[in-house]
């Protein structure tokens, strides 16, 4: 009789594949232990749902197509409270619809993963083309004071790997985690190597062990409450209202609200060393820096390599974790370079927290591009030369 892992490997197919980024996100979810997916088809994210619909029934998981993205987000929140790992996938318009339930997941400390395969907007925009126009919506889209974790892969391989990381972070901190790619990376095919079970680690949420004196939202030193799934015999009251440690609504209490919301923020902010990921290239003797993320960073890496071969002192800081923002890392780069170039596939979003972190230490130049086209190495090289002439 085959084991669960045997069925999983059989369902995923060959260890080495040539697949889309959307498929890679689905593979990462399956490897991370996701057994529930709810979603609504939307270009260019539909292939994530299609792959999950194909694999989940083969491993005794559950796939359900909802009537819209509002219901999709609600479904993965509800399913997560039964103790399983859950995920949904969408694009810009659908992510907009998910904002209220995303805030509910933050307030109720519900671990889940949301993949956003971005496309141009606003409104329907360019459904088949890529963009990074939802970067600030990821941070501020839902209302109220809150923190969010968002990861931004730059390759098909990394889309799979960071989806696994997203599930681990969601489980560790009992919070929704976002994985943001774009239509280009989502539909681009690259070589993907599926890791063996001993080549990556999985994190599981800490579960309550005793019913005596149990309070569902009481947290210890790590600020993360133990989890008790519905049906396990624990009395758990879950509400989006301000609530006390027992889960009971106390919306009129300023002290309880202050204590709750600060804890929700601090459980992430106090662990940024464990959450924030980035990649540095050419940091030594760097005079002009490029700070980039996502698929744009790929062309930036080529430009930096070519520039250093010509004797230019240029380097690349690739942001992998966008939220919480790596202020200290950016500030460290700003203290040793003469200028920073920020290419973005939008009219300027992550350039704002970059400028805040730079705090006037050096000039920051935005190179924006919209319309669904990628930055070319030539455009990046010309922008670097323009910036170098301004400061040198």
């Amino acid at each position: 009789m085959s084991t669960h892992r045997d069925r999983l490997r059989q369902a995923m197919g060959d260890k080495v594949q040539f697949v889309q980024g959307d498929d890679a996100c689905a593979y990462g979810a399956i490897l991370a232990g996701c057994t529930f997916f709810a979603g609504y088809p939307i270009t260019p994210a539909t292939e994530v749902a299609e792959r999950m619909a194909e694999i989940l029934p083969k491993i005794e998981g559950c796939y359900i197509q909802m009537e819209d993205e509002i219901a999709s987000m609600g479904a993965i929140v509800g399913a997560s409270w039964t103790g399983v790992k859950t995920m949904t996938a969408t694009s810009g318009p659908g992510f907009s619809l998910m904002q209220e339930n995303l805030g509910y997941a933050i307030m109720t400390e519900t671990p889940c993963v949301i993949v956003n395969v971005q496309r141009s907007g606003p409104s329907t925009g360019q459904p088949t083309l890529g963009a990074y126009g939802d970067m600030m919506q990821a941070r501020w889209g839902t209302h109220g004071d809150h923190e969010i974790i968002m990861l931004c892969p730059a390759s098909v391989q990394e889309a799979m790997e960071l989806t696994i990381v997203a599930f681990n972070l969601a489980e560790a901190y009992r919070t929704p985690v976002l994985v943001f790619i774009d239509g280009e990376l989502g539909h681009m095919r690259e070589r993907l190597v599926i890791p063996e079970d001993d080549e990556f680690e999985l994190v599981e949420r800490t579960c309550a062990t005793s019913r005596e004196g149990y309070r569902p939202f009481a947290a210890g030193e790590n600020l993360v409450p133990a989890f008790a799934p519905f049906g396990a015999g624990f009395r758990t009251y879950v509400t989006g209202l301000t609530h006390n440690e027992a889960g009971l609504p106390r919306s009129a209490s300023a002290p309880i609200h202050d204590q709750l919301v600060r804890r929700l923020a601090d459980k992430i902010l106090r662990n940024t060393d464990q959450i924030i990921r980035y990649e540095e290239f050419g940091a030594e003797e760097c005079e002009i820096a490029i700070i980039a993320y996502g698929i744009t960073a790929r062309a930036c890496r080529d430009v930096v390599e070519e520039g250093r071969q010509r004797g230019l002192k240029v380097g690349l800081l690739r942001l992998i974790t966008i939220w919480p923002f790596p202020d200290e890392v950016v500030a460290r780069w700003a203290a040793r370079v003469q200028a920073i170039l920020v290419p973005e596939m939008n009219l300027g979003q992550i350039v704002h927290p970059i400028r805040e972190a730079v705090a006037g230490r050096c000039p920051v130049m935005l190179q924006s591009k919209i319309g669904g086209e990628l930055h070319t190495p030539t455009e990046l090289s010309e922008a670097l030369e323009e910036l170098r002439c301004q400061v040198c």
Side-chain angles (χ1 to χ4, degrees):
M1 183 175 181
S2 63
T3 65
H4 174 79
R5 283 294 179 184
D6 291 336
R7 294 196 302 272
L8 173 60
R9 293 295 174 184
Q10 186 176 10
M12 294 182 69
D14 296 335
K15 178 180 174 63
V16 180
Q17 299 185 29
F18 189 65
V19 298
Q20 295 181 341
D22 283 357
D23 293 331
C25 290
Y27 285 151
I30 297 297
L31 290 171
C34 177
T35 56
F36 182 91
F37 181 97
Y40 184 82
I42 183 171
T43 303
T46 300
E47 289 84 357
V48 181
E50 290 176 345
R51 184 64 68 183
M52 295 298 283
E54 176 188 353
I55 297 177
L56 282 174
K58 298 178 182 178
I59 58 171
E60 299 178 0
C62 179
Y63 168 90
I64 182 169
Q65 180 173 315
M66 304 303 293
E67 63 268 31
D68 55 34
E69 292 86 355
I70 300 172
S72 300
M73 189 69 208
I76 68 168
V77 169
S80 181
W81 273 96
T82 70
V84 301
K85 296 182 180 181
T86 68
M87 185 177 84
T88 188
T90 190
S91 190
F95 189 61
S96 295
L97 292 174
M98 291 180 176
Q99 293 307 315
E100 183 177 1
N101 278 335
L102 178 60
Y104 179 77
I106 293 169
M107 189 62 147
T108 57
E109 300 182 76
T110 304
C112 54
V113 172
I114 301 97
V115 173
N116 181 3
V117 188
Q118 298 163 92
R119 70 198 218 186
S120 296
S123 189
T124 311
Q126 297 174 299
T128 61
L129 300 178
Y132 284 83
D134 307 344
M135 306 301 290
M136 292 304 249
Q137 186 189 31
R139 178 66 183 89
W140 303 110
T142 195
H143 63 282
D145 293 302
H146 66 282
E147 293 295 325
I148 196 73
I149 299 175
M150 189 255 270
L151 306 174
C152 198
S155 68
V156 170
Q157 184 73 35
E158 197 173 49
M160 179 191 69
E161 294 170 353
L162 288 183
T163 301
I164 297 174
V165 171
F167 274 95
N168 287 345
L169 292 172
E171 296 289 307
Y173 300 107
R174 275 192 62 178
T175 188
V177 176
L178 311 177
V179 178
F180 271 39
I181 59 175
D182 75 290
E184 294 291 341
L185 181 54
H187 285 169
M188 181 174 65
R189 292 182 181 272
E190 288 185 316
R191 183 176 185 265
L192 176 73
V193 179
I194 299 174
E196 298 296 339
D197 297 343
D198 59 357
E199 294 177 328
F200 61 95
E201 296 182 1
L202 292 183
V203 175
E204 308 293 337
R205 66 193 74 170
T206 300
C207 290
T209 57
S210 174
R211 297 184 183 89
E212 184 177 352
Y214 171 70
R215 293 174 297 165
F217 295 97
E221 291 185 2
N222 69 349
L223 304 181
V224 182
F227 186 86
F230 289 163
F234 292 81
R235 185 184 185 278
T236 302
Y237 190 97
V238 181
T239 176
L241 288 167
T242 293
H243 48 271
N244 59 17
E245 292 183 341
L248 301 177
R250 294 292 186 270
S251 58
S253 171
I256 289 178
H257 183 84
D258 183 280
Q259 180 183 17
L260 171 62
V261 175
R262 288 185 189 276
R263 179 179 65 78
L264 295 179
D266 285 345
K267 71 179 181 181
I268 294 175
L269 295 177
R270 292 184 185 179
N271 291 287
T272 53
D273 289 345
Q274 304 298 318
I275 297 172
I276 291 177
R277 290 167 168 77
Y278 57 91
E279 183 181 62
E280 297 176 300
F281 179 73
E284 64 282 354
E285 299 183 2
C286 179
E287 295 179 351
I288 305 293
I290 303 176
I291 300 182
Y293 56 88
I295 199 169
T296 305
R298 296 165 65 118
C300 294
R301 175 67 178 260
D302 291 341
V303 168
V304 168
E305 289 180 346
E306 190 272 337
R308 294 185 76 85
Q309 290 174 1
R310 293 189 291 111
L312 299 180
K313 296 180 178 180
V314 59
L316 170 65
L317 171 60
R318 180 170 75 93
L319 306 181
I320 299 173
T321 302
I322 307 298
W323 307 114
F325 192 74
D327 299 89
E328 294 181 2
V329 179
V330 173
R332 188 174 70 243
W333 273 69
R336 65 183 186 224
V337 301
Q338 298 178 8
I340 294 173
L341 176 68
V342 183
E344 294 197 74
M345 289 175 64
N346 53 52
L347 291 181
Q349 296 196 16
I350 301 305
V351 70
H352 298 297
I354 288 174
R355 283 176 172 149
E356 289 180 7
V358 169
R361 295 180 181 90
C362 66
V364 177
M365 174 180 165
L366 168 67
Q367 186 189 27
S368 64
K369 189 169 186 178
I370 59 175
E373 295 183 348
L374 303 178
H375 290 81
T376 67
T378 299
E379 292 169 340
L380 292 166
S381 296
E382 291 174 350
L384 273 177
E385 184 61 26
E386 177 185 348
L387 185 57
R388 191 175 70 85
C389 291
Q390 291 177 5
V391 300
C392 296

